[in-house]
């Protein structure tokens, strides 16, 4: 009886497997197949739902009505999507996997770009933008954040940069001027902490990647650098490669010097490791706003939160100083781009609407509404003249900004917390800079090799 | 108590009941609560079919309804998991940007070659062992306590325990995180109040072991009610006469426990232990929420969180599936033991 039973079971299993092989992991049909260039109909637009979104919606509503009046038979339908990292990733993956429910135009964080490009979700719009009248006004370093392997996939809409917030009252009391070099910054932490033992010299965090990177860039290091030589097999599949492959540079002597400068701030005078090893950038905002720290490396858009806290009216902002006196440590050019989906049914309309949103008039209005920094140099100068608070930020942009490797491996490096892990290992004394940066570099190289 | 007085009763009661065979192999049938339906694998027809070919067909037919549910809900996903684990399958492949490629055991090789995997595996086993022992100790102690106290304390204790049981892992973890918060936590505040100034802004999650201790406590808090309720039911199901007979025989508390309670509870205890092993091995929420994704420099990672961080957060579904398969293989061991335990209690599958 047993053999027969087994045969029956085996037959059922075999049949099941046959049926199942017909359903290998789902892969979406090519997004391009559905694309079109209709000049009428409904243009679907997804924008980020941000804190204080009502002001943004008001500006967008104006742009929509302007677009309606210049385009007969076109309706623009704007949806605001959840900005939370995992929620928006899920939303975008959904749009890529099901081209039928994809919008025409999307707003996206510029670090997400390479992954979206590799997924085949975005259309190349370089040729379209060549005809855009404001193209020459774009900040070149920021314009590069929309380019992957020589192709342009987005229109930089706004940026946010970090600078050094400091407490004017504590600095005056200690007889200090705002730091113009790393050495002065360290001295300031020491003096202020000595006078106020409960106050941190500077708020930094072990998970604050974009707080640490300026120190690395200032020291001449980087996360990864393009290797001049073409590596065999680097261009086999995946996103189109332009020959040179990325190679981790976090363990280079220059990078190590930068990492050391950042992690040295986690001492008793700066931000004690016990308190600060697990802080994110957002938590450092809270610390500074609550009056707990004398300095912090914060975004221009954090102003509102600082104004709402104990530090209100008692702070100033200067560009984050570099090692060399008077220099500015390069800031990370984080920001959002507007991109046209590959599955867009209204390609030209989408590009035109993006150009309208990124035009000088609307960039200025977006600054007024949301405090987002413009990507056009002319608008940047204009808003800085209008609001002196912005000067250190526009100065920082003018001094040159930097970016993460424009490669889809960045998404993996970021998700696997490679840089925070490295920082935390050093800060907690689990490893020295050489070992931690070496491990991180190995992981970064593995991520590049895997894509 | 003078023995001579109770002798007639003793012989009447003990002879038919307290024989050696009854003690070592109690014929006790209890409803066994099953927390993880998916952990109950489908047993092939041949193992349960009675001898004699003629009676084979009906059992197969009887299995059909279960198979209809289990094949699409369990077998098919496991098949897909296995398939994904041998593919290079990420977001780019899912959305059709890049063709899917077969990598054989490449994903497995990547994981097994990762030093961190072995550290995390060891950590997971250690953490699960700690949680199982602690859960059992707390659950069993309270179960015994329940049998000793009066109606109102019992009701109070049961209600409190069931409330902890009912709290979603996410909520429980968040609330406990608040309690142990560095700056605003009630625990630090209280410790400072009673004069322990060392706990001023003490970060419980800075050190690997204190972090594991706190998370472990929350895991135990979430899972001891199951153990308590199950064991309490088990203790209550021991026939009164057996206990009475033992008492009449002059057995003390310890002897009664050793000779009667423990052997009679053994099958239930086995199941509770194995379920706890499975449960605690798969801990995710408490670690993920309380240590913010695995602790400082990943010091508090356990296998499930590692799989998520390593693979799913960065859309490397192939790699994640391979970790899933490895976990499945590891958990097959306690599952098989669990099935055997179930059958021993008389719950034929």
């Amino acid at each position: 009886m047993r053999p027969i039973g087994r045969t029956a079971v085996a037959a059922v299993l075999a049949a099941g497997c046959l049926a199942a092989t017909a359903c290998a992991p789902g892969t979406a049909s090519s997004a391009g197949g559905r694309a079109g260039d209709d000049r009428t109909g409904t243009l679907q637009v997804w924008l980020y739902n941000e804190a204080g979104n009502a002001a943004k919606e008001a500006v967008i509503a104006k742009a929509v009505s302007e677009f309606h009046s210049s385009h007969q038979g076109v309706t623009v339908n704007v949806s605001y999507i959840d900005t939370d990292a995992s929620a928006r990733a899920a939303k975008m993956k959904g749009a890529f996997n099901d081209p039928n429910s994809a919008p025409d135009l999307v707003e996206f964080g510029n670090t997400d770009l390479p992954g979206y490009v590799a997924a085949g979700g975005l259309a190349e719009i370089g040729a379209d933008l060549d005809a855009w009248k404001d193209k020459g006004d774009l900040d070149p370093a920021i314009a590069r954040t929309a380019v992957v392997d020589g192709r342009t996939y987005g229109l930089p809409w706004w940026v946010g940069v970090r600078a050094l917030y400091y407490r004017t009252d504590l600095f005056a009391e200690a007889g200090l001027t705002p730091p113009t070099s790393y050495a002065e910054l360290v001295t300031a932490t020491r003096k202020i902490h000595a006078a106020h033992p409960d106050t941190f010299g500077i708020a930094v965090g072990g998970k604050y990647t974009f707080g640490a990177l300026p120190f690395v860039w200032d020291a001449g290091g980087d996360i990864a650098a393009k290797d001049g030589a073409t590596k065999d097999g680097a261009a086999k599949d995946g996103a189109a490669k332009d020959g040179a492959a990325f190679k981790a540079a976090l363990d280079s002597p220059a990078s190590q010097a930068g990492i050391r400068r950042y992690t040295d701030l986690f001492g008793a005078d700066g931000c004690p490791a016990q308190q600060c090893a697990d802080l994110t950038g957002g938590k450092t905002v809270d610390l500074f706003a609550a009056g707990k720290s004398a300095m912090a490396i914060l975004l221009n858009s954090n102003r509102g939160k600082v104004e709402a806290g104990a530090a209100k009216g008692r702070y100033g902002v200067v560009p984050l100083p570099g090692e060399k006196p008077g220099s500015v440590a390069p800031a990370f050019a984080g920001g959002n781009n507007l991109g046209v989906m590959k599955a867009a049914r209204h390609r030209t309309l989408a590009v035109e609407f993006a150009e309208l949103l990124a035009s000088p008039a609307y960039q200025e209005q977006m600054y007024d509404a949301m405090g987002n920094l413009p990507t056009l140099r002319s608008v940047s100068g204009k808003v800085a003249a209008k609001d002196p608070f912005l000067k250190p930020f526009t100065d920082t942009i003018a001094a040159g900004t930097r970016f993460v490797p424009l490669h889809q491996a960045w998404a993996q490096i970021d998700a696997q917390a490679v840089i925070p892990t490295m920082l935390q290992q050093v800060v907690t004394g689990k490893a020295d800079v050489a070992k931690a940066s070496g491990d991180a570099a190995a992981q970064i190289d593995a991520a590049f090799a895997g894509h | 108590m003078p023995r001579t007085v109770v002798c007639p009763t003793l012989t009447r009661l003990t002879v038919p009941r307290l024989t050696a065979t009854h003690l070592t192999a109690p014929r006790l049938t209890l409803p066994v609560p099953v927390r993880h339906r998916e952990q109950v694998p489908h047993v092939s027809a041949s193992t349960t079919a009675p001898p004699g070919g003629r009676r084979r067909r009906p059992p197969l037919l009887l299995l059909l309804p279960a198979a209809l549910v289990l094949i699409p809900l369990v077998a098919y996903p496991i098949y897909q998991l296995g398939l994904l684990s041998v593919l290079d399958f990420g977001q780019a492949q899912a959305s059709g940007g890049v063709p899917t490629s077969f990598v054989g055991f490449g994903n497995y090789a990547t994981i097994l070659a990762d030093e961190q995997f072995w550290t995390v595996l060891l950590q997971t086993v250690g953490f699960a062992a700690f949680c199982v022992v602690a859960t059992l100790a707390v659950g069993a102690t309270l179960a015994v306590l329940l049998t000793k106290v009066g109606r109102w304390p019992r009701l109070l204790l049961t209600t409190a325990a069931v409330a902890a049981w009912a709290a979603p892992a996410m909520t429980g973890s968040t609330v406990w995180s608040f309690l142990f918060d560095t700056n605003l936590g009630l625990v630090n505040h209280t410790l400072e109040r009673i004069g322990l100034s060392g706990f001023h802004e003490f970060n419980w999650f800075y050190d690997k072991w204190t972090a594991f201790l706190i998370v472990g406590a929350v895991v135990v808090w979430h899972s001891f009610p199951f153990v308590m309720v199950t064991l309490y039911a088990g203790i209550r199901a021991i026939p009164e006469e057996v206990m009475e007979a033992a008492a009449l025989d002059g057995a003390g508390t310890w002897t009664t426990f050793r000779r009667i309670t423990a052997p009679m509870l053994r099958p239930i205890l086995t199941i509770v232990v194995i379920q706890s092993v499975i449960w605690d091995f798969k801990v995710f929420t408490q670690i993920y929420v309380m240590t913010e994704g695995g602790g400082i420099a990943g010091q508090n990672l356990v296998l499930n969180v590692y799989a998520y961080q390593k693979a799913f957060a960065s859309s490397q579904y192939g790699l994640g599936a391979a970790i899933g398969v490895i976990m499945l293989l590891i958990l097959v061991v306690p599952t098989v033991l669990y099935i055997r335990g179930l059958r021993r209690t008389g719950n034929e599958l």
Side-chain angles (χ1 to χ4, degrees):
Chain A
M1 155 262 146
R2 288 215 158 203
I4 306 170
R6 290 232 172 105
T7 319
V9 171
V12 169
L13 274 180
C17 287
L18 277 178
T21 33
C23 335
T27 293
S29 56
S30 167
R34 186 196 151 271
D37 196 8
D38 296 353
R39 302 300 172 102
T40 54
T42 303
L43 183 72
Q44 297 287 351
V45 180
W46 285 1
L47 300 178
Y48 281 3
N49 189 357
E50 292 169 76
N53 207 50
K56 178 174 178 175
E57 284 174 38
V59 176
I60 302 301
K62 263 204 240 167
V64 168
S65 64
E66 185 180 331
F67 198 72
H68 282 167
S69 58
S70 62
H71 292 77
Q72 288 299 312
V74 177
T75 313
V76 181
N77 184 16
V78 182
S79 316
Y80 292 90
I81 64 170
D82 199 341
T83 319
D84 174 68
S86 61
R88 71 171 201 246
K91 187 99 182 165
M92 290 302 289
K93 283 175 190 176
F96 296 155
N97 294 352
D98 177 19
N100 284 320
S101 58
D104 297 294
L105 183 69
V106 286
E107 175 183 3
F108 59 89
N110 53 11
T111 54
D112 293 339
L113 177 71
Y116 291 176
V117 170
L122 292 176
E124 194 199 345
I125 53 169
D128 308 63
L129 289 186
D130 282 342
W132 184 36
K133 63 176 167 40
D134 296 310
K135 186 172 186 268
D137 198 13
L138 269 180
D139 182 279
I142 292 165
R144 276 198 295 278
T145 66
V147 179
V148 177
D149 292 322
R151 299 195 182 90
T152 305
Y153 293 93
L155 205 175
W157 191 21
W158 57 264
V159 286
V161 291
R162 291 168 175 82
L164 188 73
Y165 284 56
Y166 68 97
R167 283 278 297 280
T168 44
D169 53 342
L170 295 178
F171 270 70
E173 184 193 299
L176 293 162
T177 52
T180 56
S181 69
Y182 176 76
E184 282 185 31
L185 188 149
V186 173
T187 311
T189 62
R190 203 164 295 146
K191 273 198 159 172
I192 294 174
H193 182 75
H196 299 269
D198 248 7
T199 304
F200 297 159
I202 183 168
V204 282
K207 287 183 168 179
Y208 192 9
T209 304
F210 297 127
L213 284 176
F215 293 86
V216 174
W217 286 325
D218 176 61
D222 206 344
I223 303 166
K226 278 231 170 172
D227 196 352
T230 306
K231 281 199 174 160
D232 286 346
K236 50 177 192 214
D237 50 18
K241 305 279 201 296
D242 63 353
F246 272 109
K247 201 172 172 335
L250 259 186
D251 55 344
S252 72
S255 297
Q256 289 193 28
I259 295 165
R260 197 166 290 116
R261 269 175 225 152
Y262 182 70
T263 51
D264 280 351
L265 297 175
F266 289 78
D269 303 323
C271 211
Q274 255 266 355
Q275 312 287 322
C276 305
D278 54 359
L279 295 189
T280 57
K283 297 265 180 65
T284 65
V285 182
D286 299 339
L287 280 182
F288 186 79
K292 180 80 188 158
S293 75
M295 288 180 278
I297 304 161
L298 308 181
L299 277 165
N300 55 291
S301 54
N302 294 140
R303 181 190 192 176
K305 204 152 190 189
V306 173
E307 283 283 338
K312 178 182 164 66
R314 294 189 286 163
Y315 70 96
V317 185
V318 290
L320 180 68
E323 166 78 351
K324 215 170 92 223
S327 69
V328 176
F332 164 70
N336 283 7
N337 295 346
L338 294 165
V340 177
M341 295 289 282
K342 207 177 233 175
R345 262 190 279 229
H346 308 85
R347 192 195 148 95
T348 306
L349 287 177
V351 173
E352 284 173 7
F353 190 62
E355 287 175 353
L356 177 69
L357 289 181
S359 66
Y362 281 101
Q363 286 212 5
E364 193 178 339
Q365 291 187 42
M366 274 297 285
Y367 167 74
D368 292 338
M370 305 297 290
N372 295 329
L373 291 175
T375 55
L376 298 174
R377 280 176 295 186
S378 64
V379 188
S380 202
K382 211 164 151 189
V383 296
K386 210 162 56 175
D387 187 351
F389 167 79
L390 274 190
K391 197 170 177 315
F393 298 99
T394 51
D395 283 354
T396 302
I397 295 177
T401 53
R402 300 289 291 273
F403 203 58
V404 297
L406 274 159
H407 188 285
Q408 57 161 322
W410 173 253
Q412 186 186 330
I413 295 165
D414 191 33
Q416 295 183 351
V418 173
I419 295 175
T421 302
M422 172 190 76
L423 296 173
Q424 291 178 329
Q425 280 176 337
V426 178
V427 166
T428 57
K430 288 190 169 69
D432 61 9
V433 174
K435 165 92 171 70
S437 66
D439 288 352
Q443 284 188 56
I444 290 169
D445 277 334
F448 284 126
H451 286 282
Chain B
M1 192 185 283
R3 268 177 180 269
T4 43
V5 182
V6 291
C7 245
T9 342
L10 233 191
T11 37
R12 188 162 52 84
L13 262 174
T14 50
V15 171
R17 289 199 176 266
L18 283 178
T19 58
T21 43
H22 276 88
L23 274 186
T24 50
R27 227 184 288 125
L28 185 65
T29 308
L30 282 174
V32 174
V34 177
R35 260 199 308 194
H36 282 161
R37 280 265 164 221
E38 77 273 14
Q39 295 299 343
V40 183
H42 17 294
V43 173
S44 74
S46 54
T47 45
T48 46
R54 214 161 285 177
R55 292 179 61 196
R56 198 185 71 247
R57 207 162 287 273
L60 265 181
L61 272 177
L62 290 175
L63 281 176
L64 197 66
L68 278 180
V69 175
L70 289 175
I71 288 176
L73 288 184
V74 178
Y76 182 67
I78 289 177
Y79 162 77
Q80 282 282 349
L81 187 75
L83 182 63
L84 268 182
S85 73
V86 292
L87 299 175
D88 175 19
F89 199 83
Q91 180 50 40
Q93 282 81 6
S95 54
V98 175
T100 306
S101 60
F102 177 77
V103 292
F105 289 101
N107 287 327
Y108 293 93
T110 309
I111 293 158
L112 298 180
D114 184 2
E115 257 177 63
Q116 202 190 5
F117 168 77
W118 297 102
T119 320
V120 170
L121 179 64
L122 210 68
Q123 222 158 259
T124 310
V125 171
F127 182 66
F130 167 77
C131 289
V132 170
V133 171
T135 308
L136 246 81
V138 174
T141 311
L142 291 178
V144 173
L145 186 70
L146 276 185
T147 62
K148 308 278 183 202
V149 297
R151 190 155 162 256
W152 286 108
R154 187 166 65 231
L155 194 69
L156 208 68
L157 182 54
T158 318
T159 313
V162 170
W165 194 1
M170 186 81 187
T171 321
S173 307
T174 311
V175 170
W176 278 78
S177 301
F178 289 159
L179 290 178
F180 284 93
D181 189 85
T182 308
N183 303 103
L184 305 165
L186 182 69
V187 174
N188 280 355
H189 188 74
T190 312
L191 288 174
E192 241 184 290
R193 269 289 175 82
I194 60 168
L196 299 167
S197 59
F199 287 96
H200 176 67
E201 299 192 340
F202 181 77
N203 186 350
W204 291 89
F205 298 94
Y206 183 74
D207 182 75
K208 178 175 178 169
W209 304 111
T210 55
F212 264 134
L213 192 74
I214 307 277
V215 180
V218 177
V219 171
V220 170
W221 178 77
H222 268 126
S223 48
F224 86 85
F226 165 76
V227 176
M228 185 188 85
V229 170
T230 310
L231 289 184
Y232 175 65
I235 294 170
R236 294 311 292 248
I238 297 173
E240 286 283 332
E241 311 90 86
V242 181
M243 301 302 255
E244 196 189 323
L248 291 175
D249 269 343
T253 313
W254 173 241
T255 315
T256 315
F257 177 78
R258 198 169 60 85
R259 300 291 299 270
I260 299 178
T261 318
M264 288 190 120
L265 282 183
R266 211 181 57 170
I268 299 179
L269 221 50
T270 314
I271 285 160
V272 164
V273 168
I274 291 163
Q275 282 214 347
S276 292
V277 168
I278 294 171
W279 181 258
D280 293 338
F281 196 77
K282 300 199 307 181
V283 160
F284 179 89
T285 316
Q286 287 88 349
I287 291 276
Y288 190 79
V289 173
M290 298 187 69
T291 68
E292 287 171 15
I296 292 170
Q299 63 182 4
N300 296 109
L301 282 173
V302 292
L303 219 44
N304 243 345
V305 182
Y306 168 79
Y308 177 78
Q309 301 285 43
K310 190 86 192 167
F312 291 103
S314 55
S315 305
Q316 292 176 285
Y317 305 121
L319 200 65
I323 302 176
V325 170
I326 293 172
M327 280 191 76
L328 186 77
L329 293 178
I330 294 172
L331 283 177
V332 156
V333 178
T335 306
V336 167
L337 292 173
Y338 174 66
I339 301 294
R340 288 183 54 189
L342 268 185
R343 300 189 72 198
R344 204 175 298 159
T345 61
N347 284 296
E348 288 293 339
L349 287 161

